[in-house]
Amino acid sequence: MNIAVSSKTSSMPKAAIKPVVSDLANSQCATPFDQLGLHPHPEGKGLVIRVWRPDATMVEVFDHHTGKLLGEMSRNEAGVFELHLPRRKKPFLYQLAIHWANGHRFVVYDPYCFGEYILAQSDIESEGLYRHLGAQVVSHKINSKLNIQGVLFKVYAPYARSVSIVGSFNGWDERLHPMASADDGIWRLFVPGVQAGDQYKYAIRDYHGNSLPQKTDPFARHIEQWPGLASVVQGVDSYVWQDQLWMSQRKGKADKEQPFSIYEVHAGSWKRKENGDFLNFRELADELIPYVMDMGFTHVELLPVSEHPLFDSWGYQPVGLYAPSSRYGSPDDFRYFVDQCHQKGLGVILDWVPAHFPNDEHGLARFDGSSLYEHPDPRRGWHPDWQTCIYDFGKPWVQDFLISNALYWLDEFHIDGLRVDAVASMLYLDYSRGHGEWEANIHGGNENLEAVAFLKKFNEKVHAAFPDVMTIAEESTSWPGVSTAVADGGLGFDFKWNMGWMNDTLEYMKLDPVYRQHHHGQMTFSTVYAWSENFVLPLSHDEVVHGKGTILTRMPGDDWQRFANLRAYLAFMYAHPGKKLLFMGAELGTHNEWNQNAELDWGLLDNPEGFSVGVQKLVKTLNQLHGSEPAMFEQDLRAEGFAWTTGDDSSQSVLVFRRYDNEGNSVQVICNLTPVVRDGYRVGVPEAGRYCEILNTDHTCFGGSGVSAGELLEAEEIPMHHLPYSLALTLPPLATVILKRS
């Protein structure tokens, strides 16, 4: 940066300096460069240096070029030091020797001699805020031979009276480093000598001069854990990525006709060290990636990794949106995790939380004394269920802050997809609010028009910058066009979670089989709307907490029946149209609800003959089948890829349907959801020939009873179910069977 040492000065007389000194003493100065640093003498007699060091007993000035002592500065009662240099005419670089009362002495560059560099900063591209704001380690070029290393701090606080930097480099003294305000609302200061690893916060006074709790940097790349919660300066990114092959081929992998099988993971509880400590991101890469790859999943989806002080929030109450949680290591450690996933052929999806944020005093709430991030009206700005603040989606700054954050994860960490949390809570003004607790929009409706516009803008910006990245909405209502392009009137997401499928089918599966015949529609209704959106079928973390039990414990009967039900249900899920998502632990068939404070029940796999080993083998087999059999994925998102053979055999609780690939080849899926073996059950098939089992959840290798539908089944020319041929099958109990023409 070839910017000269500041000569921007003020010729303010001494009488006018008093208000500035008073503001400095009261930590309320917004224009420190007007008086501090190097200035022309007010009477035209050379130059004067003014330094604000109320912590010092003596300050000396040295010429940086010659090392010569220029003099000891005089100190006024408030802590402003001054040195008059009558023979100096041109600005120059100097250093300060600071003396404390305890005898300690140290030498620094004066932050306020870099006025031209600071005040010449022009910001900012709205979608790349992360490249400009926060703590940027820079090398300020003085001349061809000299660069001054330090950190350029920038924070947006347009309604603040003053902002100071406090940190490990200044004894957390808010008096010492007041920042300079500007018309764009951004406060700036270059502090020489600060380096990567130094901790800092912002000390902010509101418009009236009242002191606010010290704030974490909204753009901090690293934040220390409780109780300090300080931002940590990060060095210039030097990580060397090795995932070029993955990135070059990612567009094809994002094709919606490709198999998608997602393993949802909470980084802090998938597995722990023997002493109970977390695995860091590098250790997680070494253990999680081989496991997920061996299980056959195509993607891993991480619950939010943005910094969140409350561990029990699972990441859904983030304070540091730009900081991978330091519980698990550094930002480069997280880059390593993603890099290793890509090198092994595994995609990475992040849960992203733009709907709300906690009101922790060190966070975004009342950041500069105003409702800078949250909506000022509690009917729109406060979430009653989660006790959190809601972003004001109509503010350009909030839009830029959030969209920049989304782009940051995609750009800096090579993330392949963002699953947007709590979209329904964003879309509706009356979400979780009773009569009189919400305000209608300008048209009298309950739609949050600003949030709708934000989500559309978010998807447009993400897809314009990263066309090979997917966005996924967790949206639980019937809002139309969630996964329709913005140009076609939709919100612009690539996929939407199918919460209706999940709720209906789990409600059915928890019934005793004798009652299932009366609720048959809960298993078939999803195909009425299955192609209205691009759906992901989620068995997520939300289904194994808060007293819901686990997927296994929802199932009725003794252990044998529970596991048989679970196996049949998982195979039904994989055969059903839609992409697949399974939360960690479901593949183990665990009896225990997910506990974020402990690792999964890996001990269940110690018994090689146990039911849990069988479920794990089944999930692995389902993933292999899902990835190798085109009929199981190619037309997931098109009605042409699905047909009921019989969806109305409620009396026997049997479902039979077909899945088709792009070439018209099919597989036959038969679900018998009672514990009764059904001999001679005739099923229509579209073609003559021999059919064989490619999956049977009742196979003994999965822990089943070993009843087979038949080894080689010859289709007979007996019409059935409006099809020209049929097979006479034996239906295993509580099982799903998939057949293919051999």
Side-chain angles (χ1 to χ4, degrees):
M1 302 176 183
N2 192 13
I3 301 176
V5 176
S6 175
S7 61
K8 182 175 178 65
T9 60
S10 168
S11 58
M12 189 182 297
K14 286 188 176 181
I17 296 175
K18 291 183 179 179
V20 176
V21 172
S22 176
D23 283 346
L24 285 169
N26 294 318
S27 298
Q28 295 186 17
C29 183
T31 57
F33 286 97
D34 285 354
Q35 285 303 314
L36 300 180
L38 189 63
H39 293 264
H41 190 274
E43 298 175 3
K45 300 177 180 178
L47 301 176
V48 62
I49 298 174
R50 296 191 191 94
V51 172
W52 170 242
R53 290 300 306 208
D55 60 328
T57 57
M58 181 174 71
V59 178
E60 299 168 305
V61 181
F62 291 84
D63 185 304
H64 171 82
H65 179 66
T66 64
K68 178 182 177 182
L69 174 65
L70 300 181
E72 179 182 330
M73 307 185 81
S74 61
R75 186 188 195 277
N76 69 14
E77 68 280 1
V80 174
F81 290 80
E82 186 171 302
L83 180 65
H84 181 206
L85 302 171
R87 297 183 180 181
R88 294 273 184 166
K89 303 297 182 183
K90 296 181 180 181
F92 65 100
L93 183 63
Y94 57 90
Q95 291 179 290
L96 306 172
I98 310 297
H99 296 257
W100 284 347
N102 63 5
H104 181 62
R105 174 187 181 274
F106 57 96
V107 177
V108 296
Y109 290 103
D110 181 7
Y112 300 97
C113 75
F114 300 99
E116 282 190 1
Y117 174 47
I118 299 302
L119 300 175
Q121 292 290 316
S122 60
D123 301 292
I124 284 169
E125 53 174 316
S126 61
E127 292 147 29
L129 295 177
Y130 61 91
R131 299 190 185 99
H132 304 278
L133 294 180
Q136 307 282 339
V137 174
V138 296
S139 178
H140 176 38
K141 186 175 182 179
I142 304 300
N143 54 48
S144 60
K145 296 182 178 180
L146 178 61
N147 292 282
I148 304 298
Q149 309 295 322
V151 172
L152 176 58
F153 294 92
K154 290 188 275 189
V155 62
Y156 184 70
Y159 298 102
R161 171 72 177 270
S162 65
V163 181
S164 295
I165 307 165
V166 297
S168 54
F169 44 86
N170 67 7
W172 302 94
D173 189 338
E174 71 171 289
R175 300 172 301 170
L176 299 185
H177 288 102
M179 303 178 77
S181 67
D183 293 339
D184 59 5
I186 296 173
W187 298 73
R188 300 168 172 85
L189 187 66
F190 173 65
V191 184
V194 177
Q195 56 191 350
D198 285 342
Q199 298 175 344
Y200 70 100
K201 290 184 180 179
Y202 295 116
I204 300 176
R205 299 290 180 116
D206 68 13
Y207 181 80
H208 302 289
N210 300 312
S211 180
L212 301 174
Q214 292 181 352
K215 296 290 187 177
T216 298
D217 189 342
F219 288 85
R221 307 294 185 93
H222 198 59
I223 300 173
E224 70 166 341
Q225 291 299 299
W226 188 89
L229 303 173
S231 308
V232 181
V233 175
Q234 295 297 288
V236 177
D237 178 22
S238 60
Y239 184 83
V240 180
W241 289 88
Q242 303 292 330
D243 65 347
Q244 291 81 4
L245 179 61
W246 170 274
M247 297 298 285
S248 68
Q249 297 177 348
R250 190 168 66 175
K251 184 175 182 180
K253 296 179 185 297
D255 185 340
K256 293 183 175 68
E257 288 196 352
Q258 294 298 309
F260 281 86
S261 179
I262 303 166
Y263 189 63
E264 189 186 29
V265 174
H266 179 249
S269 59
W270 179 75
K271 190 174 283 189
R272 295 272 182 103
K273 297 178 182 178
E274 288 187 5
N275 64 0
D277 287 350
F278 300 122
L279 299 179
N280 64 39
F281 283 124
R282 291 177 184 266
E283 293 165 336
L284 194 65
D286 293 341
E287 297 210 33
L288 176 64
I289 295 173
Y291 177 79
V292 175
M293 293 300 298
D294 181 64
M295 289 296 295
F297 291 96
T298 63
H299 292 75
V300 61
E301 178 177 324
L302 296 174
L303 271 60
V305 299
S306 295
E307 192 58 80
H308 48 285
L310 180 61
F311 181 69
D312 288 357
S313 76
W314 314 330
Y316 291 101
Q317 292 196 14
V319 171
L321 275 185
Y322 287 79
S325 179
S326 60
R327 291 178 181 88
Y328 314 120
S330 70
D332 274 356
D333 291 336
F334 185 55
R335 289 184 176 93
Y336 175 87
F337 174 84
V338 177
D339 197 4
Q340 290 298 307
C341 284
H342 287 172
Q343 291 184 53
K344 301 299 189 296
L346 187 65
V348 181
I349 300 168
L350 280 190
D351 277 14
W352 185 59
V353 188
H356 64 122
F357 59 91
N359 64 340
D360 297 48
E361 65 177 15
H362 69 287
L364 300 180
R366 305 293 298 176
F367 184 77
D368 61 358
S370 74
S371 300
L372 183 61
Y373 290 89
E374 66 270 35
H375 198 288
D377 186 338
R379 292 174 296 178
R380 295 193 180 194
W382 181 252
H383 198 293
D385 288 349
W386 303 325
Q387 297 291 291
T388 53
C389 300
I390 300 172
Y391 287 103
D392 188 347
F393 299 107
K395 287 180 182 174
W397 167 253
V398 170
Q399 295 176 21
D400 292 345
F401 173 76
L402 291 173
I403 291 173
S404 176
N405 181 249
L407 298 176
Y408 164 75
W409 290 106
L410 303 175
D411 179 21
E412 296 273 332
F413 296 94
H414 294 196
I415 298 302
D416 304 298
L418 296 172
R419 176 268 198 186
V420 182
D421 182 62
V423 171
S425 75
M426 301 170 68
L427 293 175
Y428 297 97
L429 296 169
D430 60 347
Y431 184 90
S432 199
R433 297 179 190 273
H435 179 73
E437 297 176 344
W438 62 282
E439 180 186 38
N441 64 34
I442 58 173
H443 304 301
N446 66 342
E447 303 88 356
N448 189 332
L449 302 179
E450 291 84 0
V452 172
F454 163 75
L455 289 170
K456 290 181 177 182
K457 182 177 179 181
F458 153 75
N459 277 306
E460 287 183 316
K461 296 296 185 182
V462 164
H463 289 125
F466 299 93
D468 53 355
V469 158
M470 71 182 86
T471 60
I472 305 167
E474 185 216 11
E475 205 286 309
S476 56
T477 75
S478 57
W479 186 282
V482 172
S483 56
T484 299
V486 174
D488 296 325
L491 295 182
F493 288 93
D494 294 292
F495 296 99
K496 170 183 172 176
W497 274 20
N498 193 338
M499 312 292 277
W501 172 89
M502 178 268 298
N503 287 320
D504 286 346
T505 58
L506 284 177
E507 281 298 308
Y508 175 92
M509 291 301 299
K510 77 178 185 181
L511 296 171
D512 187 296
V514 72
Y515 300 115
R516 285 176 176 172
Q517 61 181 314
H518 306 299
H519 301 269
H520 200 68
Q522 289 180 309
M523 295 295 278
T524 61
F525 181 66
S526 59
T527 58
V528 173
Y529 61 86
W531 302 280
S532 62
E533 301 277 3
N534 299 331
F535 281 122
V536 173
L537 308 182
L539 294 178
S540 75
H541 63 280
D542 280 328
E543 304 316 309
V544 292
V545 289
H546 302 321
K548 295 178 183 178
T550 69
I551 306 301
L552 173 71
T553 58
R554 277 177 168 83
M555 306 300 168
D558 58 19
D559 260 5
W560 189 94
Q561 290 196 10
R562 278 185 162 183
F563 277 95
N565 273 299
L566 176 61
R567 294 192 301 268
Y569 180 60
L570 290 172
F572 167 76
M573 169 192 177
Y574 270 78
H576 190 286
K579 306 308 180 184
K580 325 303 176 190
L581 180 141
L582 203 61
F583 183 58
M584 64 180 199
E587 80 280 13
L588 303 181
T590 178
H591 288 79
N592 297 317
E593 278 195 348
W594 170 48
N595 175 9
Q596 71 274 2
N597 294 311
E599 69 176 14
L600 297 182
D601 299 326
W602 295 107
L604 293 171
L605 302 178
D606 291 342
N607 178 7
E609 304 301 322
F611 287 129
S612 290
V613 171
V615 174
Q616 188 188 48
K617 287 180 180 178
L618 174 67
V619 172
K620 182 175 180 178
T621 301
L622 286 169
N623 278 324
Q624 291 170 344
L625 184 61
H626 177 66
S628 61
E629 179 50 62
M632 297 283 282
F633 64 83
E634 279 188 348
Q635 299 203 74
D636 261 335
L637 309 179
R638 297 199 300 273
E640 295 81 4
F642 177 90
W644 281 111
T645 301
T646 176
D648 58 2
D649 189 0
S650 58
S651 64
Q652 300 187 87
S653 299
V654 172
L655 302 167
V656 185
F657 57 88
R658 307 183 300 281
R659 294 295 309 277
Y660 288 91
D661 65 17
N662 290 335
E663 305 301 321
N665 303 308
S666 65
V667 295
Q668 323 301 311
V669 181
I670 306 99
C671 303
N672 177 19
L673 300 175
T674 66
V676 178
V677 177
R678 302 193 183 279
D679 293 313
Y681 191 94
R682 191 161 288 277
V683 172
V685 292
E687 295 179 282
R690 287 185 172 182
Y691 288 75
C692 63
E693 287 184 352
I694 58 174
L695 182 83
N696 181 348
T697 63
D698 194 49
H699 196 287
T700 55
C701 72
F702 304 134
S705 62
V707 175
S708 173
E711 292 299 323
L712 285 175
L713 300 162
E714 189 74 38
E716 300 175 82
E717 198 170 347
I718 300 175
M720 192 70 181
H721 301 131
H722 306 289
L723 294 168
Y725 304 93
S726 62
L727 299 168
L729 305 176
T730 298
L731 302 190
L734 293 173
T736 294
V737 174
I738 302 178
L739 305 176
K740 182 179 180 181
R741 185 170 174 269
S742 58

